[in-house]
Amino acid sequence: MTGFHTAADLRHACELKAAHPDATLIAGGTDVMVGLNFGHTSPAALLDVSRVPELREWSREDDTIVLGAGVPYTRIVDELGGALPGLARAARTIGSAQIRNRATVGGNLGTASPAGDALPPLLAARASIELASLRGTRRVPARDFFLGPGRSVLADDEIVAAVRIPVAAGAEQFAKLGPRNAMVIAVASVAVTLDPPRRRVGCAVGSAAPTPVVAGDAETFAGAELDWDGRRELPASVTARFAELAAAATAPIDDVRGTAGYRRHAVAVLARRTLTWAWQEYRRS
Amino acid sequence: MTVAPARPVAVRDGVGDSARRPDAVAKVRGEFAFSSDLGHDRMVWGATVRSPHAHARVLGVDASAALALPGVHLVLTAGDVPGVNRYGLERRDQPVLAEDLVRYIGEAVAVVAADDPELARRAAALVRVDYAELPALTDPELALSGGGPVLHEDGNLVRHLRIRRGAMPAAADIVVVTGEYEVGMQDQAFLGPESCLAVPDADDGVDLYCSTQWLHVDQDQLADCLGLPAEKVRLTLSGVGGAFGGREDLSVQAHACLLALRLGRPVKMSYGREESFVGHVHRHPARMRYEHGATRDGRLLYVKADILLDGGAYASTSAAVTGNAGCFAAGPYEVPAVEIDCRSVYTNNPPAGAMRGFGAVQVCFGHESQMDRLAAALGMDPVELRLRNAVDTGSVMATGQRVEGPAPVAELLRRVAGKPLPPPPGTDPRLLPGGMSNSTRAEGLLRGVGYGLSVKNICKSAGYDDFGTARVRVLARGGDVLAEVHTAAAEVGQGLVTVQAQIARTELGVERVTILPADTAVGDAGTSSASRQTWISGGAVRAACAAVRARLLERAAEVLGEGAEALRLESGQAVSELSGRAVPLVELLVTEIEETAVFRHRDTQPLDPETGQGDAHVAYAFAAHRAVVDVDPELGSVRVVEIACAQDVGKAINPAAVEGQMHGGIAQGLGLALMEEVKVRDGRILNPSFTDYLIPTTMDMPPTVLDILELPRADSPYGLTGVGEPPLLSAPAAVAAAIRDAVGAALDRIPVTPEAVAAAAVGR
Ligand SMILES: Cc1cc2nc3c(=O)[nH]c(=O)nc-3n(C[C@H](O)[C@H](O)[C@H](O)COP(=O)(O)OP(=O)(O)OC[C@H]3O[C@@H](n4cnc5c(N)ncnc54)[C@H](O)[C@@H]3O)c2cc1C
């Protein structure tokens, strides 16, 4: 490694990134440092964005939360549980208290792991990612952000500045599965959002394909089948079909954490449960 | 001389008190210096070049690229080992640096010294080793059947223990259950990775500061490897970050000494976590076939067991582990007839060796799973079946040895079974299966209760000359009496230094006790394993204190003009029970007193090679566990709700430390039951980090209910028995039994994965 650059503000960060396109950004460092310590990555240089004020804040613009890429999960849990219940739920499942104090959504997006727990809620909620560079700012739908494991549309000179997430219009849920009761990488995860005004359901799945994926057929099916006005109880046939469609959206693999078959099964179970919980919440609201 | 009336005050923090650990605050604050924190002004760093192949011929080593890096000092290979290039605890079968053959992935081939650790690692990566790959033998069944390559001169069988006792009953009206069980490879997962500092002296000798469980056995092997007399290889124990058996074998020690002696400079070595996974032995993976026969009213008639342990590439302690697994294969039960075959084999998998429980853990999962299966076949309560067959004092074990001393097996089980059950699950998802993952609102939740009973030997067995040495010095300093205790016994986190000081306080009536650093300047203490160190080194400290006390009392007798028989030591004075007069010890210590004592437990015998019969063990320790679990049957997630453990400790020298051992043992047992497994494919460890080798978190560890019995033994100091291993032994079996009880299906392998639970629950 030849350098360590510290960005003072977003503009400076973009300048540094443009000047050192091969530098690795470091925010909370909870992925970067693991990679360094294990010798899995040997970046040419590090570009520290953890002190960039623009990245450390969130704001509300009408019905959108503009979440700075560097806001740690602890603050998402503490400050955004009301506006973004799905993301906050996911944030609660991430790592340990120490990790949540440092780790950020920007880092989760940067790592672009299919197991990133903050990602399915962003997909389900149809968030968009704001990418900044000296060339300007562009917005990419979260659903189009990922290209493969560890790969995204982020260019060499770009920085994730913020994530724009619609304020929850209804109930939102997130559940994951792992072989331990805390501090565990998801074997599968599911995020579900209900948007009653638009009669729309969001559903995304983690850890069951090369990237986090949207379960589009499940969304369309549930959007049409749910009794938005009557708020009647969910028929078992609907949850079962929803679960089936969510599982069908995945392309899991066998690895040291679980087999493909079990992952698919888990996605179905979690999809059924999260939809049921969200619907119950909607019926009570 | 001051002769005064006695002031009877009991010494504080003596035997039986929960004296505080001297290192407690420093450890909690992160200020305690572990061996990885050692440093020296002139030191360089060592790194290890390891084999990427499970089995290969080493054709050549080319270190030129590594040596060309500025700051790289030295690369050593097998030819540079000045002494015998072999080490090992039972048989010296493992090269310090591989010669013409490597037998597992991670085997050390060369060592490098460089100015900083990063450079040393980079240099190690640049050392080019040419290999010719050989077919790897990674299936222990194949190794046993004689298929595949022969890995060591004497063949692939490390040991076969055959135990035969009683006649198998004729097949009339017997209830028979059979089962096949498997235990995965568990890692000790100590938090302080292997590390040491070797400092050469001007005289061709070396001082080694390291983490180990047994200084003298390290010294012995190192002296031979280095071609030096023992007195030139001096070891001092440094801060040990846990051990659990994983520090019985050498790791960094020989490599650091080799580099230091060649360079004439201090050398530090410290593994990262990933290297640590190949840097120490693991618990033997086990495959076990069982058959139990019983009468209709639930009396065991016979047990047949066939146990295969994968010893990996080198012997380490495989033979002794095989002995233990065989001896305890039938569990703490009276069984008139046994037919036990326990074998360990060499393979090209990572070497297996000592880990807390030492063979008894694996078979406990086997015999306890069988007891549950038998109870089901008999339609009998599993607790009742165990009570009916539990050994007691005077019972005869599978090896024909009569149980002497307390054996409250039935009582321990009654105690855990009698504890009130925890309340039904609540609604806080964090306390449900999945915990923080938010995966259930108790949909279809199932609760289960399971039991485990266990037995294991304490101290070394089968004729081993097992002893400990202690030197105790009493002196007056600044108007106060000070006792110094010096042993080579390894404090590995278990609290031995606390206990040694407590014993000295009680025996000498002195408050101020200093435990000197453990090193090889004093006699052998034996190993900090086999739950033996409080018994053996504690016994040695007590004996040395007794010798010191005798001399103090002689001096007091002279001063008081009374016979020494009526005198005792108490709160810094020698007191006469006859006259009530006392003399302060300070005044008796114009010259200091020092005594060294060696303590031995009673002799044991080797097992008969044909029948496996013999009085091989000094003592048996017992524990009972009850686990209560909630299971999410669809996802297979498990939440352990509570674990109760009852254990007989003879005498709790330090009750808080006993509880600590019980908490830790339960946690480690829970880990083995649910998640801890070193996954190996084709000889390669797939999960060598805490990312994927999972150990329980605070969200996995349930509240515990502990019940400590103190039934004194006649043959040990204060009546104590070892406490370190029993609280682990039957914890995995109890957790697995509770899950089976919840889902109503068989689970024959630990760790029980969520996937296996979900599959079992579907098949129910
Ligand atoms: C013990 C432990 C437990 C964990 N548990 C979980 C878990 O339960 N769930 C989970 O999802 N993850 C988990 N993680 C992984 C990690 O915490 C998350 O991925 C986290 O979101 C990373 O955030 P960070 O700020 O620390 O990222 P960093 O490590 O700083 O960076 C990660 C990557 O993102 C890039 N990056 C950072 N900021 C930006 C930016 N603004 N724009 C573009 N790229 C950027 C970096 O260059 C790097 O490639 C765990 C990690 C550890 C060590």
Side-chain angles (χ1 to χ4, degrees):
Chain A
M1 197 161 59
T2 54
F4 190 93
H5 313 283
T6 305
D9 55 29
L10 187 56
R11 171 88 202 163
H12 188 210
C14 291
E15 285 165 7
L16 286 168
K17 192 72 177 108
H20 309 279
D22 55 354
T24 294
L25 296 173
I26 178 165
T30 60
D31 279 323
V32 170
M33 292 314 296
V34 172
L36 279 177
N37 288 338
F38 280 143
H40 295 160
T41 51
S42 39
L46 290 180
L47 200 177
D48 180 11
V49 292
S50 68
R51 288 168 217 180
V52 172
E54 296 93 324
L55 303 186
R56 304 281 298 174
E57 289 311 324
W58 64 267
S59 59
R60 184 169 175 155
E61 289 176 11
D62 301 325
D63 284 341
T64 301
I65 299 292
V66 184
L67 176 70
V71 176
Y73 294 118
T74 301
R75 283 186 56 201
I76 296 174
V77 170
D78 291 347
E79 300 166 24
L80 290 168
L84 305 174
L87 181 64
R89 277 209 161 88
R92 254 182 229 115
T93 74
I94 291 177
S96 59
Q98 296 93 322
I99 295 296
R100 289 190 294 274
N101 284 340
R102 290 210 54 90
T104 65
V105 174
N108 218 225
L109 285 163
T111 296
S113 156
D117 287 321
L119 309 177
L122 300 184
L123 269 57
R126 298 173 167 85
S128 63
I129 320 286
E130 202 168 280
L131 305 176
S133 71
L134 287 184
R135 294 179 284 130
T137 299
R138 62 176 176 138
R139 283 186 200 164
V140 180
R143 294 178 172 213
D144 299 335
F145 184 75
F146 302 100
L147 300 176
R151 290 189 305 120
S152 70
V153 301
L154 188 75
D156 270 357
D157 62 343
E158 279 181 321
I159 291 170
V160 176
V163 185
R164 306 177 67 88
I165 314 155
V167 170
E172 297 187 348
Q173 278 294 343
F174 174 85
K176 83 179 190 190
L177 171 68
R180 181 161 78 177
N181 288 321
M183 273 265 285
V184 71
I185 298 174
V187 168
S189 69
V190 174
V192 163
T193 58
L194 299 186
D195 185 347
R198 292 194 185 78
R199 304 274 189 272
R200 201 161 69 171
V201 171
C203 178
V205 177
S207 279
T211 66
V213 291
V214 173
D217 291 345
E219 290 180 337
T220 312
F221 168 77
E225 290 294 320
L226 292 179
D227 178 17
W228 296 101
D229 300 319
R231 302 192 184 204
R232 266 174 311 177
E233 211 168 315
L234 267 178
S237 59
V238 171
T239 52
R241 182 67 187 146
F242 180 75
E244 216 172 273
L245 291 170
T250 65
I253 52 161
D254 288 340
D255 70 8
V256 71
R257 293 174 194 146
T259 64
Y262 177 60
R263 286 195 146 104
R264 208 174 279 115
H265 162 76
V267 167
V269 173
L270 293 176
R272 168 158 51 71
R273 289 184 185 176
T274 46
L275 179 67
T276 306
W277 303 338
W279 188 251
Q280 281 165 356
E281 210 179 305
Y282 172 61
R283 293 181 69 212
R284 280 195 308 266
S285 66
Chain B
M1 289 279 161
T2 327
V3 177
R7 304 171 274 116
V9 191
V11 67
R12 260 195 312 140
D13 288 342
V15 167
D17 295 334
S18 287
R20 189 152 101 178
R21 299 176 62 101
D23 54 0
V25 172
K27 279 184 173 163
V28 170
R29 287 203 178 134
E31 289 166 355
F32 182 84
F34 291 97
S35 54
S36 50
D37 299 315
L38 292 165
H40 191 289
D41 289 344
R42 293 183 60 243
M43 78 185 180
V44 297
W45 290 75
T48 316
V49 179
R50 297 184 179 277
S51 165
H53 302 299
H55 194 200
R57 211 153 274 299
V58 179
L59 303 177
V61 179
D62 176 3
S64 50
L67 289 166
L69 284 182
V72 174
H73 298 280
L74 189 65
V75 177
L76 299 179
T77 57
D80 299 302
V81 177
V84 184
N85 185 20
R86 287 288 181 281
Y87 71 96
L89 289 165
E90 288 175 351
R91 42 183 96 159
R92 301 219 174 154
D93 63 351
Q94 186 159 4
V96 174
L97 292 171
E99 289 159 9
D100 53 344
L101 205 62
V102 286
R103 295 184 177 88
Y104 72 99
I105 295 176
E107 180 159 0
V109 180
V111 281
V112 177
D115 280 341
D116 66 69
E118 187 53 40
L119 184 62
R121 271 193 289 275
R122 265 173 48 216
L126 286 176
V127 173
R128 227 190 95 178
V129 185
D130 281 328
Y131 296 98
E133 264 197 85
L134 296 168
L137 177 56
T138 56
D139 174 4
E141 306 270 1
L142 187 64
L144 185 64
S145 71
V150 179
L151 302 180
H152 288 270
E153 264 173 29
D154 298 333
N156 290 339
L157 184 68
V158 180
R159 182 177 179 191
H160 176 187
L161 172 63
R162 207 169 164 273
I163 302 179
R164 297 289 183 276
R165 201 169 85 80
M168 286 296 148
D173 207 30
I174 297 179
V175 179
V176 175
V177 291
T178 59
E180 290 190 22
Y181 306 96
E182 223 179 286
V183 178
M185 182 189 278
Q186 190 180 19
D187 182 50
Q188 294 82 355
F190 42 65
L191 293 186
E194 294 81 350
S195 43
C196 73
L197 176 68
V199 184
D201 68 10
D203 218 13
D204 301 327
V206 62
D207 285 282
L208 179 68
Y209 303 84
C210 66
S211 284
T212 180
Q213 292 178 240
W214 188 357
L215 290 166
H216 282 84
V217 84
D218 284 10
Q219 181 188 41
D220 200 35
Q221 296 171 87
L222 289 170
D224 289 349
C225 297
L226 301 170
L228 291 173
E231 62 273 15
K232 291 211 164 187
V233 186
R234 297 163 299 264
L235 278 77
T236 303
L237 189 74
S238 51
V240 181
F244 312 108
R247 294 191 211 273
E248 288 193 23
D249 299 76
L250 294 181
S251 57
V252 283
Q253 291 94 322
H255 298 155
C257 288
L258 280 176
L259 291 168
L261 286 164
R262 265 295 267 280
L263 271 179
R265 284 180 72 171
V267 171
K268 173 157 179 188
M269 292 189 76
S270 189
Y271 293 167
R273 179 60 56 190
E274 216 159 339
E275 185 169 23
S276 176
F277 269 93
V278 291
H280 63 258
V281 298
H282 307 282
R283 191 190 293 292
H284 287 78
R287 298 179 191 184
M288 308 178 281
R289 277 189 211 98
Y290 268 96
E291 181 180 320
H292 278 55
T295 61
R296 296 238 159 253
D297 64 348
R299 305 228 166 254
L300 286 174
L301 291 172
Y302 71 90
V303 171
K304 291 184 188 177
D306 194 333
I307 296 149
L308 178 58
L309 303 171
D310 183 351
Y314 294 100
S316 181
T317 52
S318 280
V321 171
T322 309
N324 262 17
C327 283
F328 302 113
Y333 303 109
E334 292 213 10
V335 191
V338 296
E339 207 176 285
I340 296 166
D341 289 282
C342 187
R343 299 175 179 89
S344 46
V345 289
Y346 286 121
T347 63
N348 291 118
N349 288 322
M355 183 174 171
R356 195 178 193 178
F358 207 75
V361 175
Q362 293 94 322
V363 292
C364 183
F365 175 62
H367 63 67
E368 289 307 272
S369 298
Q370 280 290 97
M371 291 305 274
D372 287 339
R373 195 164 280 189
L374 182 59
L378 292 165
M380 187 180 279
D381 179 64
V383 172
E384 180 53 35
L385 175 66
R386 286 173 169 85
L387 290 175
R388 231 166 252 198
N389 294 284
V391 295
D392 203 339
T393 306
S395 297
V396 176
M397 299 291 288
T399 51
Q401 182 168 353
R402 196 164 288 283
V403 179
E404 290 168 28
V409 181
E411 173 64 13
L412 293 171
L413 180 58
R414 268 189 220 107
R415 286 191 177 216
V416 293
K419 306 280 174 212
L421 283 164
T427 52
D428 183 345
R430 290 173 304 176
L431 299 179
L432 295 173
M436 298 304 287
S437 298
N438 188 41
S439 56
T440 179
R441 298 276 183 279
E443 290 91 344
L445 199 71
L446 299 171
R447 176 156 287 192
V449 180
Y451 294 89
L453 267 183
S454 50
V455 54
K456 190 192 171 286
N457 56 329
I458 301 298
C459 302
K460 292 240 171 181
S461 293
Y464 193 89
D465 182 24
D466 192 12
F467 66 91
T469 314
R471 184 154 73 200
V472 173
R473 200 157 75 108
V474 182
L475 58 153
R477 184 168 292 164
D480 215 351
V481 189
L482 175 67
E484 283 178 356
V485 177
H486 190 190
T487 73
E491 164 69 55
V492 297
Q494 82 277 47
L496 186 68
V497 294
T498 321
V499 161
Q500 288 179 330
Q502 289 178 258
I503 291 174
R505 285 192 202 102
T506 290
E507 294 300 321
L508 299 171
V510 165
E511 296 238 338
R512 282 179 62 197
V513 178
T514 301
I515 307 298
L516 299 179
D519 58 32
T520 49
V522 63
D524 196 349
T527 175
S528 286
S529 49
S531 304
R532 66 181 277 290
Q533 209 56 292
T534 297
W535 184 327
I536 304 299
S537 284
V541 171
R542 189 191 198 197
C545 286
V548 166
R549 185 176 54 220
R551 288 183 52 195
L552 274 169
L553 293 179
E554 269 169 36
R555 291 184 185 180
E558 241 171 71
V559 173
L560 293 170
E562 297 187 42
E565 320 77 58
L567 303 181
R568 62 193 157 78
L569 298 184
E570 194 181 280
S571 22
Q573 330 169 72
V575 182
S576 163
E577 283 174 353
L578 287 180
S579 65
R581 294 188 312 151
V583 54
L585 297 188
V586 202
E587 298 185 13
L588 301 175
L589 288 167
V590 178
T591 57
E592 63 187 45
I593 296 177
E594 178 182 299
E595 289 290 340
T596 300
V598 172
F599 179 87
R600 280 187 163 75
H601 59 64
R602 68 182 168 81
D603 284 346
T604 57
Q605 273 71 51
L607 296 169
D608 181 282
E610 286 306 308
T611 63
Q613 300 294 291
D615 289 352
H617 304 300
V618 177
Y620 298 108
F622 305 95
H625 289 84
R626 182 189 73 189
V628 180
V629 303
D630 284 335
V631 177
D632 178 336
E634 271 187 307
L635 293 176
S637 325
V638 174
R639 170 103 206 169
V640 181
V641 177
E642 181 197 277
I643 293 187
C645 176
Q647 186 183 350
D648 173 28
V649 304
K651 164 79 185 170
I653 304 295
N654 184 321
V658 171
E659 287 183 10
Q661 288 296 319
M662 293 173 81
H663 289 142
I666 289 168
Q668 214 158 19
L670 182 153
L672 176 58
L674 294 177
M675 60 189 87
E676 289 192 42
E677 181 172 9
V678 179
K679 292 175 187 152
V680 180
R681 192 192 301 145
D682 301 331
R684 185 178 308 278
I685 297 180
L686 301 177
N687 55 339
S689 86
F690 288 158
T691 306
D692 284 305
Y693 184 87
L694 300 182
I695 54 179
T697 68
T698 49
M699 295 303 294
D700 298 280
M701 181 67 185
T704 57
V705 179
L706 307 182
D707 201 335
I708 300 169
L709 261 71
E710 297 187 73
L711 306 180
R713 295 188 63 83
D715 55 357
S716 66
Y718 311 105
L720 71 82
T721 192
V723 302
E725 291 167 289
L728 192 159
L729 301 173
S730 35
V735 171
I739 301 171
R740 281 190 210 114
D741 182 50
V743 300
L747 289 161
D748 296 336
R749 185 182 198 282
I750 50 173
V752 180
T753 61
E755 187 162 356
V757 175
V762 169
R764 112 187 98 117

